[in-house]
Amino acid sequence: MPFPTRLSCRATSDGHGENSPYFDGWKEYEKNPYHPHNNPSGIIQMGLAENQLSFDLIESWLKEHPESSICTPEGISSFKEIANYQDYHGLPVFREGIALFMEEVGGRKAKFEKERMVLTAGATAAHEVLTFCLADPGEAFLVPSPYYPG
């Protein structure tokens, strides 16, 4: 006798992961990716929060500042600082950096306090945190599409 499922038809359907319509666009991108010199009319993937267009800038900055990366001999001493459990609001030094950056971007018209910031490991985690903060049991949010299937 099969085990009875308590999941919805949507949750048990084959429309997740690789079979999601979300990935149709990704597959087209993989066939024709943008490149500034080799394929300037290619597709720019905007459905994923990975800014691959700035990798060259980040790589050159890290070469100039090797102490900033735990992947270099100069930065390895910082490994223990971030390898263990952290403040669940996000790394304090990173929150401070984001607060200063946001103030600068905003023309110093608003003050950003690192103590009032919570950083997450991506939009999915941020949505989960907001859901727990803003919704009571039985309430729901409408999420517009397109959206990340995770």
Side-chain angles (χ1 to χ4, degrees), residues 36-103:
H37 304 292
N38 301 337
N39 192 12
S41 62
I43 296 171
I44 296 175
Q45 170 56 279
M46 296 184 74
L48 188 62
E50 291 179 351
N51 190 351
Q52 297 178 8
L53 297 176
S54 66
F55 282 174
D56 58 336
L57 299 172
I58 295 169
E59 185 177 333
S60 65
W61 189 88
L62 285 172
K63 286 178 181 176
E64 294 173 18
H65 302 89
E67 73 285 355
S68 297
S69 172
I70 63 168
C71 299
T72 62
E74 296 86 349
I76 197 68
S77 62
S78 301
F79 176 76
K80 289 180 183 176
E81 293 176 27
I82 65 169
N84 297 316
Y85 285 107
Q86 299 296 324
D87 180 338
Y88 60 88
H89 294 96
L91 287 170
V93 67
F94 189 55
R95 286 187 292 136
E96 182 177 353
I98 292 292
L100 293 172
F101 175 75
M102 294 302 295
E103 288 177 15

